[in-house]
Amino acid sequence: MSDETFYLTTPIYYVNATPHLGHAYTTILADTMARFQKLRLGTEQVYFLTGTDEHGDKIVQAAAQAGESPQAYVDRISGIFLETWARLGLAPNQFIRTTGEPHKRAVQRFLQQIYDAGDIYFGEYGGHYCFGCERFYTEKELEDGKCPDHQTTPTFIKEQNYFFRMGKYQEWLIDHIHRHPDFIRPERYRNEVLAFLREPLEDLCISRPAARLTWGIPLPFDDRYVTYVWFDALINYISALGWPDGDAFRRFWPAQHLIAKDILKPHAIYWPTMLKAAGLPPFRHLNVHGYWRIEEAKMSKSRGTVVRPLDLADKYGVDAFRYFVLREMTFGLDAGFSEDALVARLNADLANDLGNLYSRVLKLIRRYYGGTVTHASDNGELADAVHTAAAAVAAAMERFAYSEALAAIWSLISSTNKYLVTNEPWKSDPEDARTKEVLFTAAEILHATATLLWPFLPQTAERMLQGLGAPNSTASIHFHDIGSLLKGRQTGQWQVGEVPSLFPRIQATVAKPPAVEKKSAPAPEVTPEQITIEDFRRVDLRVAEVIEAEAIKGSKKLVKLRVKLNDEERTVVAGLKEHYPPESWAGKRIILVANLKPTSLMGITSQGMVLAAEDDGRIVLLAPEQPISSGSKVR
Ligand code: MSP
């Protein structure tokens, strides 16, 4: 096992609102990265932290509005965050709360340490205070004298407070950023921070008089004051590991932090200088993502309802939701969220590309070999494609480029689809050695694909592995093994059980196709020769209504139907008695091939053929989706 450890944090979220898409997004990113690192390094080497930020004016106001005590209020909302993460299948190692005693003790210790070192001093401060932001603004930061966020005029407050000598560490920080080019990434945010640091860095006010704000942590050296927002919240990243003496702190610090651009400054400037003043090593990387723009209006227009994005995880499934947000946003940039785009991705990438490939391969293995396919040769076909995909995923995840990592996995899926279309196992003799080899290889690649996918779509990956009879694989396979799995394999077999349907296709309810990247069409289940539209038009498909049905004596399968097409009546013989007994037919609307040459079956002339779909021996009749008159043409 590697000595390398990976410690990843999300921001701790304010409890003045319940969880929304933005909070879920960062936590999904962190969960995915933690799972990926667990595959790479081993479960014990990875620590994933999230939690809630529970002190301050805003929380007191929100509690008052809800008619609750601050403590009851923060307990309740924090509980909602915890429940939401469980519902989304997110699995942090710890959920920290800033109202917890261990955190409060760590904050006081941290403050005392910096105070003792002489980097906290008492002074007077006058400034423009925005109650919405809970912070002072300098003249320069205001826009037309107003808070740039709230567009309200701040209150001028003059009071005595404690200050952190942040300015003292400005040169050190600039130098550190220059010497560690990926300390803050992507680069645009690093540049933003460096631009900010061109101006002199002011000292940071870190306290509030307890007379004005009681819902905070008292300063250890002056209990007339409580500490203020960032000197409380940022310290969660080390208090959670039991700083100063905790084993976890020794093992896991320094962290990789994950945040959105809204809290860049406190993380990129306050936090490293605070750590420096306390004599602690700075974090490893600050990874900054963009903002979701939520197109609620668009959603409500096309679907008739306003949908909260998080509800879409319930509606379409957690993995479809995860896939969409991970695939759609380029790390670092903003992105638009819309339900239509989610459905389009679900249908194209998940139901078609991945779902069809998986069920096609597993069903053939069941049909041909009763579920067991044994290794036939070790020529390692597609091993290079798996290797390339695994390397590309690892390289992309190193940069938090989730969308690129998924694109690499989909390129493997597409190569596998092409491999099947080229080899057409559905047309070949099951006993042919080549057929076995192709299906064995396909199963092998699906196994590797499931492992690659596990960090991103854990539930789907686990179902895929279950269907392949390899349920515990993610625990035992390390990421770097994936590429070599296929090469030189001498023995092995796949034992396919029930084939789960991974993603149902969602019927689009909007007329206009949503604007998402077009995907190449997946291979159909059986690849027949291609026909032109003219060829298709030669088939006269009609809606017909069944008037009556009777069994045909001496036949196990055949049933004789009397059907109506507009004013015309016909007799049709269908081989569907075992699936649809005679008494089940009357009144059904079906689809009929109306211009089929009449044929005689058991002495009865049949004038047409009933359409039905088959899935692994199960037969389902095709029918119009809504009532429509008999005789209507199918186009
Ligand atoms: N409590 C502070 C953070 C303290 S960390 C030591 C805070 N809380 S917050 O509830 O406002 O959460 C901000 C974070 O939520 C963002 O940095 C981001 O992770 C996430 N998001 C909130 N809205 C978002 C979007 N619209 N889009 C993407 N993520 C956003 O700030």
Side-chain angles (χ1 to χ4, degrees), residues 522-591:
E525 179 95 35
V526 173
T527 319
E529 65 168 316
Q530 295 193 326
I531 60 166
T532 62
I533 188 79
E534 283 72 32
D535 294 334
F536 173 71
R537 284 203 189 109
R538 293 179 54 216
V539 184
D540 186 20
L541 293 175
R542 300 281 176 155
V543 175
E545 184 184 352
V546 182
I547 307 164
E548 57 185 11
E550 59 179 279
I552 297 176
K553 269 211 191 93
S555 169
K556 233 168 74 181
K557 292 190 173 165
L558 296 181
V559 57
K560 178 179 151 194
L561 309 173
R562 228 18 229 161
V563 303
K564 209 171 109 183
L565 285 97
N566 200 0
D567 295 335
E568 184 198 352
E569 271 191 28
R570 292 190 185 194
T571 297
V572 175
V573 177
L576 295 170
K577 194 171 124 194
E578 289 162 310
H579 305 276
Y580 289 89
E583 61 276 12
S584 69
W585 285 88
K588 273 198 192 331
R589 270 167 216 268
I590 54 168
I591 309 291

Side-chain angles (χ1 to χ4, degrees), residues 309 346 468 556:
L346 170 54
L468 283 162
K556 233 168 74 181

Side-chain angles (χ1 to χ4, degrees), residues 100-123:
E101 285 309 319
H103 172 74
K104 290 195 221 170
R105 276 198 301 277
V107 169
Q108 291 188 324
R109 169 121 192 201
F110 193 89
L111 282 162
Q112 187 71 50
Q113 202 163 309
I114 299 184
Y115 183 74
D116 292 345
D119 278 345
I120 288 177
Y121 64 90
F122 194 57

